[in-house]
Amino acid sequence: MNRNYPEAYLEYLFHFHATRDYFECHEVMEEYWKANKNSRWLALIQIAVAVYHERAGNMPGSLRLYRKVLCHIRKDPEIFAGLGINTEELTSTIRFRIKNIIEEGVYEPLNLPITDPELIRSCMDICARSGLDWCTSENLNDNELIFKHKLRDRSEVIDERLASLTNKQRERKGS
């Protein structure tokens, strides 16, 4: 296994390019981002969620997130340095996707422009062990994949939000 990249990143790439489960990409990388608080991980989350929304037909949500990623890149052109991603090509791809959404074009899967052959080999090995193909097509009839966020149990998320709101209200009363 490639030791230069975090396991969460490899798992993210596996889901992004093999299972095409962009929601799972978000889940995997969100945990890593919370622990590391680096904008590169947030940008990767936003890319996955933008594609997820685009595929599901939520164009306003997709556009908003693609534009956030472009803002990250403008603020830090080296944001993906060390991740084996061609930032210029990714920027061009995101701009094309924004234009395609605005012009009501056809959805296509997104493959991140990975330039590190060792990273690609590592990801392909993970795919082979899982019986999946790297850069596979998508089943656009798989509603469990396309609308995963609507079908999951959200009770834990709701409980966390309620606890956070309660804590904020306590803090306001205390100040």
Side-chain angles (χ1 to χ4, degrees), residues 114-137:
I114 299 173
T115 58
D116 179 353
E118 185 180 339
L119 176 57
I120 293 171
R121 273 193 302 279
S122 294
C123 291
M124 290 178 88
D125 288 346
I126 295 168
C127 289
R129 287 193 302 272
S130 302
L132 297 172
D133 293 323
W134 176 249
C135 294
T136 187
S137 60

Side-chain angles (χ1 to χ4, degrees), residues 17 21 36 39 80 90-91 103 117 150 161:
H17 295 96
D21 189 340
N36 294 279
S39 60
F80 298 118
L90 179 59
T91 301
E103 294 176 356
K150 292 180 181 180
R161 287 184 182 161

